[in-house]
Amino acid sequence: MRIAFILSEVGSGLRRNLSMVISVVLVTFISLTFVGAAGLLQLQISQMKGYWYDRVQVAVFLCVDNSMSPTCAAGPVTAEQRASIRALLEGENLSRYVSAVEYESQDDALGHFQDQFANSPIVESVTADQLPESFRVSLVDAEKYGIIDEAFSSLPGVDVVSDQRELLEKVFSVMNRASLGALLVAGVMTLCAVLLIATTIRLSAFSRRRETGIMGLVGASKAVIQLPFVLEGVIAAVGGALLASGTLWLSSDFLITWLSRLYPETAFISAQQVLLLLPVLILLAALLAGVSSLLALRRYVKV
Amino acid sequence: MIRFDNVTKIYDQKSRPALHSVSLEVNRSEFVFLVGASGSGKSTFLRLVLKEDTASRGAVHVAGRNVADIPGWRVPRLRRGIGVVFQDFRLLPNKTAFANVAFAMQVTGKSRTVIRETVPDVLRIVGLEGKGNRMPHELSGGEQQRVAIARAIVNKPAILLADEPTGNLDPTTSMGIMNILEHVNRNGTTVVMATHDNTIVNSLRKRVVELQHGRVVRDEAQGIYVGEIRAAAG
């Protein structure tokens, strides 16, 4: 009976306060959409890191005719230099760090280049002797790039040691900044949502002070008096969270499908991962609304 | 049932106390009129019984317990044992008479079956048989007060507090309300009624406690009230 009574009180509260409830729903919707977007971006970043860090290699470029670095002063790499670099890479000392070494000749390099820039007119003007040959080194731990750099960049015949991770880091930092921006907007919007919920609940309690006064007189417990108001806030916020969840689900589904067609090589987060985030958003909404409603009521509904 | 031991209530340090060293005992099933001019402390007395306020000094005992010892979360339980009626009825305007009475049972968790059985009985006791589905604005003042009394007694409280229940009613209607309160009292409920309606007090010949400036100035077993004259003289 008491549950039915509380629910009917919640219903009448929501109906009486409809415009405020709608504004709570909308503000929560927007704020949680941003929270969710920031979360999804972070998921995507860690997904890409996991995927790429396994694949990135350290490239040890060897000297060609027009190399500028001091180690190339003697001209293009010689066969002995190449052999000693390979021996060092595959040797005992580095075996702890290096998982695989591939040699890319100038012809291989031209082949990759032509694949990569298939649609560009530049392809026709590039010849194999302009491109450096290189050793592609896969590391056991991608963080240990420094060891390879230290060991090889001063060896004669080595032009430059480059870490592909540097390129990725740039991409990740852009994504990180975007997710930070989303989080910032989410923070401001969430603050708005919390304040709006508190105001709405206060208003609702004020407009029903007659009822709550009588409830107190006939001996209703604090929980029975306050619960309808708290539930009102929670229901409105969860409504907003559901809208945010739907929006995030649909837009991420669309984006992931679209992007993975554009970039089939890239690992995108899966639909399941998006689904896992949504209950977190709904819980967050319920928690925020519950706490802010309770705090708002502390001063306005006394027993 | 209700015992005040040297109770003083000060709302504001600068003005005189609302109640000043009041000692008083109301026994089970007693009917007591609390009389006195406005501001004499009648309402404060009732508020202290309900623990809407706490005494500044002294102890208030209700049903054998010092209310100061009742923790906040137990106060609702105390109030379930006390019915209250006000001068302004305090009905919910958007609920029928039946729903207003049922409200008191709903919030204390009574089952729907019990409510459906009890409320019509109580409405009959207060003389509102068949008027359960009227809205408050469709009822006369006297009838609204009957609904309020029905709401106050529906949970079968041991104590009924009435704060000027006839203050807004004409003499004939007031007597009807008094009949109901007497009926409630005869069934064993302790009734404390604050009033300054001397006609009512004089015709019922119950115990009269008179307050003046927060002090008990008279406590008579079958008293009368000549409040206005006494106040003017004193």
Side-chain angles (χ1 to χ4, degrees):
Chain A
M1 188 64 217
R2 226 181 304 195
I3 294 167
F5 170 74
I6 288 172
L7 289 181
S8 82
E9 286 291 300
V10 171
S12 83
L14 289 175
R15 250 175 285 129
R16 267 199 237 180
N17 241 347
L18 196 62
S19 62
M20 287 297 269
V21 168
I22 289 173
S23 65
V24 168
V25 169
L26 292 180
V27 172
T28 324
F29 163 42
I30 301 296
S31 71
L32 288 179
T33 303
F34 276 100
V35 171
L40 288 179
L41 259 173
Q42 279 304 324
L43 274 180
Q44 177 64 37
I45 290 172
S46 64
Q47 176 89 1
M48 283 174 80
K49 274 187 180 161
Y51 180 85
W52 283 112
Y53 280 5
D54 280 347
R55 283 164 183 72
V56 291
Q57 294 168 318
V58 177
V60 179
F61 289 105
L62 306 182
C63 296
V64 286
D65 272 338
N66 48 5
S67 296
M68 305 295 276
S69 53
T71 45
C72 294
V77 66
T78 63
E80 299 93 79
Q81 284 172 339
R82 190 184 302 125
S84 71
I85 293 168
R86 183 192 282 271
L88 198 58
L89 274 172
E90 290 172 348
E92 280 291 306
N93 290 345
L94 288 176
S95 63
R96 277 191 295 143
Y97 305 108
V98 174
S99 66
V101 179
E102 273 175 60
Y103 173 69
E104 188 182 274
S105 69
Q106 289 187 308
D107 291 329
D108 293 340
L110 183 65
H112 288 150
F113 186 84
Q114 282 166 340
D115 282 349
Q116 219 162 3
F117 296 94
N119 301 319
S120 168
I122 198 174
V123 169
E124 281 137 45
S125 59
V126 173
T127 55
D129 61 309
Q130 289 171 310
L131 296 170
E133 53 188 298
S134 61
F135 286 106
R136 300 296 167 128
V137 184
S138 300
L139 296 179
V140 175
D141 176 2
E143 307 282 331
K144 296 275 159 59
Y145 152 76
I147 291 171
I148 303 296
D149 185 39
E150 213 174 289
F152 291 94
S153 53
S154 56
L155 278 189
V158 173
D159 182 6
V160 70
V161 178
S162 97
D163 183 9
Q164 291 176 339
R165 231 157 43 111
E166 270 174 41
L167 281 171
L168 289 174
E169 291 295 350
K170 273 179 207 151
V171 177
F172 291 147
S173 97
V174 169
M175 287 173 77
N176 256 328
R177 256 173 244 164
S179 92
L180 200 71
L183 212 60
L184 219 73
V185 177
V188 175
M189 291 302 293
T190 306
L191 185 69
C192 285
V194 165
L195 293 177
L196 190 67
I197 290 167
T199 311
T200 306
I201 296 310
R202 213 168 279 176
L203 211 70
S204 185
F206 187 74
S207 73
R208 277 191 283 165
R209 61 195 185 285
R210 206 182 169 86
E211 275 96 329
T212 53
I214 291 167
M215 285 164 105
L217 277 176
V218 298
S221 62
K222 202 171 163 182
V224 170
I225 297 177
Q226 296 197 342
L227 203 59
F229 296 108
V230 174
L231 284 180
E232 218 174 285
V234 169
I235 286 173
V238 167
L242 287 174
L243 279 179
S245 299
T247 308
L248 283 170
W249 167 247
L250 287 177
S251 57
S252 64
D253 187 49
F254 170 76
L255 265 178
I256 290 171
T257 323
W258 181 60
L259 282 173
S260 44
R261 210 173 301 136
L262 272 181
Y263 305 100
E265 300 277 295
T266 313
F268 287 102
I269 48 174
S270 63
Q272 279 83 352
Q273 280 172 300
V274 179
L275 276 186
L276 278 178
L277 184 81
L278 304 185
V280 176
L281 286 186
I282 293 167
L283 265 177
L284 184 75
L287 201 75
L288 279 179
V291 170
S292 53
S293 305
L294 267 180
L295 287 180
L297 286 174
R298 267 209 328 201
R299 273 172 47 203
Y300 284 79
V301 182
K302 281 212 182 110
V303 179
Chain B
M1 207 62 194
I2 301 171
R3 201 174 85 231
F4 274 49
D5 287 337
N6 255 319
V7 171
T8 298
K9 175 65 190 174
I10 301 166
Y11 285 110
D12 173 5
Q13 289 295 340
K14 278 165 256 163
S15 54
R16 61 173 181 77
L19 284 182
H20 198 286
S21 302
V22 170
S23 291
L24 185 68
E25 177 140 19
V26 177
N27 294 316
R28 187 178 294 275
S29 308
E30 220 180 341
F31 194 120
V32 180
F33 282 117
L34 209 56
V35 300
S38 300
S40 58
K42 305 190 296 287
S43 297
T44 301
F45 182 95
L46 300 182
R47 290 175 64 81
L48 290 177
V49 174
L50 281 167
K51 212 190 173 191
E52 283 195 48
D53 272 320
T54 45
S56 309
R57 277 196 294 279
V60 177
H61 293 266
V62 176
R65 283 197 73 175
N66 185 344
V67 297
D69 296 339
I70 300 176
W73 62 276
R74 288 291 238 189
V75 169
R77 197 192 186 85
L78 166 77
R79 292 195 188 145
R80 278 176 219 174
I82 306 173
V84 201
V85 181
F86 298 95
Q87 181 174 4
D88 58 359
F89 320 139
R90 302 210 187 161
L91 299 177
L92 297 172
N94 54 348
K95 285 190 193 307
T96 63
F98 183 98
N100 263 287
V101 178
F103 188 72
M105 299 185 84
Q106 285 171 332
V107 299
T108 51
K110 300 291 193 312
S111 80
R112 204 179 294 236
T113 334
V114 173
I115 292 176
R116 265 200 228 111
E117 281 170 9
T118 318
V119 175
D121 276 353
V122 177
L123 284 175
R124 191 168 38 75
I125 291 172
V126 299
L128 287 176
E129 210 167 3
K131 290 186 175 171
N133 51 8
R134 299 271 188 93
M135 301 300 279
H137 69 265
E138 297 168 336
L139 296 169
S140 70
E143 287 170 329
Q144 289 186 44
Q145 191 58 293
R146 286 160 192 254
V147 176
I149 294 172
R151 183 180 64 196
I153 62 172
V154 74
N155 286 327
K156 302 190 175 55
I159 301 170
L160 179 65
L161 303 179
D163 194 356
E164 313 258 4
T166 58
N168 280 345
L169 305 174
D170 62 73
T172 322
T173 316
S174 298
M175 284 322 293
I177 295 296
M178 290 319 296
N179 286 338
I180 296 168
L181 293 181
E182 273 200 289
H183 174 87
V184 170
N185 176 239
R186 272 197 302 275
N187 286 340
T189 303
T190 309
V191 178
V192 178
M193 172 169 160
T195 184
H196 49 228
D197 186 334
N198 46 10
T199 326
I200 287 175
V201 177
N202 296 345
S203 63
L204 263 75
R205 289 299 173 126
K206 300 282 187 185
R207 180 178 171 193
V208 173
V209 174
E210 184 172 352
L211 289 169
Q212 216 175 74
H213 304 313
R215 291 170 194 271
V216 176
V217 294
R218 186 162 64 101
D219 187 349
E220 289 174 1
Q222 291 186 324
I224 54 161
Y225 179 42
V226 281
E228 314 309 324
I229 306 161
R230 188 180 282 269

